[in-house]
């Protein structure tokens, strides 16, 4: 099979011809049609994530099972599948509560310690594969189907986790990025009023197209004031921060109205300072969120299959052009999601 391999972090991808993987006991092999390219895996490429090398990265796949190993009963050859990329043991307290994202047993993760989707074939422990529901065209719409399981599932988890209610005012910070655009869509689906907060003017239109009711320029002098104005003085009910710098977090917190929730899931992960008095007086909450549970991924696939929302994939490249798409990701130039195509 052909694979784009990262031999070390922050080096160009190398197109390698590798032996086709064979399914061992408990494993399955799938043919990959497309693989999403987002910031999560750009962090791996750039050496900012705990991965081991050499590695085939990528976890947002649209694929079809071509081989199942001994003991695998839940998959059949020909099943259309995607991938749950976190390592969940299935038996710790958090897995039992369907919170696989905080599983306490650190098993290998797809694209980090297990080879992922930047290849023609992918071999994984069978439990990583999620069967696609009927109604998703995993070949014809391979790029879009591939990214649902992260680009839309991560926002779907946020609306559940932060308990976004109809008519609430939701601000999405970093709204023009790969997850931000899809967060706008899913918050609209949840019947919220959505304010997109974005620094890059070229992304304002995409935010509106995704459904944003208002767009706030984060380069402005008084972003808190602008957000208060945009909410009619009420303050924001839920701020969802995909940037998570000190400035963005402190700004988001200050713009919360009574009962407000600040959700942080951006990569910066900086420290920030907020007032305990504001917490108390307005009964605020700060939540950390990462990825989604397996069931939330399956729910998201089912919702996309019946047409509730659909991913925005704006750029698709052949497998061999992985470097091109990662250069664009590194410069934050991709609007919505990009993907690689293997067919
Ligand atoms: Zn677990």
């Amino acid at each position: 099979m052909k694979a784009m391999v990262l031999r070390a972090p922050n080096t160009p991808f190398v197109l390698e011809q590798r032996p086709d993987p064979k399914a061992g006991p408990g494993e399955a092999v799938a043919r990959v049609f497309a693989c999403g390219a987002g910031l999560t895996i750009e962090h791996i490429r750039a050496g900012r994530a705990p991965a081991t090398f050499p590695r085939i990265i990528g976890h947002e796949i649209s694929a079809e099972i071509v081989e199942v190993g001994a003991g695998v009963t839940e998959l059949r050859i020909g099943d259309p599948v995607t991938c749950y990329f976190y390592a969940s043991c299935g038996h710790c307290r958090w897995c039992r509560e369907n919170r696989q994202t905080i599983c306490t047993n650190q098993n290998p993760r797809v694209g980090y310690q297990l080879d992922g989707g930047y290849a023609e074939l992918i071999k994984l422990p069978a439990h990583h594969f999620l069967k696609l529901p009927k109604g998703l065209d995993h070949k014809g719409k391979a790029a879009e189907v591939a990214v649902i399981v992260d680009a839309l599932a991560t926002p779907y988890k946020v609306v559940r986790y932060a308990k976004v209610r109809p008519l609430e005012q939701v601000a999405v910070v970093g709204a023009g990025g790969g997850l931000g655009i899809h967060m706008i869509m899913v918050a609209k689906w949840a019947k919220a009023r959505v304010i997109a907060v974005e620094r890059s003017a070229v992304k304002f239109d995409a935010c509106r197209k995704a459904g944003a009711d208002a767009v706030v320029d984060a380069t402005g002098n008084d972003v808190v004031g602008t957000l208060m104005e945009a909410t009619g003085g009420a303050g924001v009910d839920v701020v969802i921060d995909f940037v998570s710098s000190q400035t963005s977090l402190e700004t988001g917190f200050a713009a919360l109205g009574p009962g407000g929730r600040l959700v942080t899931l951006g990569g910066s992960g900086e420290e920030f300072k907020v007032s305990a008095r504001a917490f108390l007086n307005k009964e605020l909450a700060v939540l950390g969120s990462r990825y989604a549970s397996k069931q939330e991924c399956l729910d998201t696939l089912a919702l996309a299959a019946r047409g509730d929302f659909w991913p925005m994939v704006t750029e698709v490249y052949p497998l061999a052009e992985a470097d091109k798409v990662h250069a664009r990701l590194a410069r934050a130039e991709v609007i919505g999601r990009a993907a690689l195509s293997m067919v």
Side-chain angles (χ1 to χ4, degrees), residues 28-36 58-67 75-84 116-124 128-133 136-147 149 301 340 342-343:
V29 176
R31 177 162 303 284
V32 182
F33 299 105
C35 185
H59 61 266
E60 294 176 317
I61 58 167
S62 178
E64 190 172 294
I65 298 293
V66 293
E67 190 194 359
L75 294 169
R76 297 267 184 282
I77 289 171
D79 280 347
V81 290
T82 185
C83 163
Y84 185 80
Y118 278 15
E120 292 175 318
L121 294 166
I122 182 171
K123 179 183 80 166
L124 293 171
H128 278 287
F129 288 112
L130 301 178
K131 268 197 258 187
L132 295 174
L136 290 178
D137 182 357
H138 67 294
K139 290 181 186 169
K141 296 281 179 199
E144 284 81 3
V145 169
V147 307
V149 79
L301 290 162
L340 298 180
M342 288 53 167
V343 288

Side-chain angles (χ1 to χ4, degrees), residues 87-96 99-100 102-105 107:
S88 53
C89 72
H91 54 76
C92 74
R93 171 188 170 191
W94 302 111
C95 285
R96 286 197 303 270
R99 297 187 68 181
Q100 292 91 0
I102 50 173
C103 169
T104 47
N105 295 311
N107 293 322

Side-chain angles (χ1 to χ4, degrees), residues 68-76 126 131:
V68 290
V72 176
T73 53
E74 68 274 30
L75 294 169
R76 297 267 184 282
K131 268 197 258 187

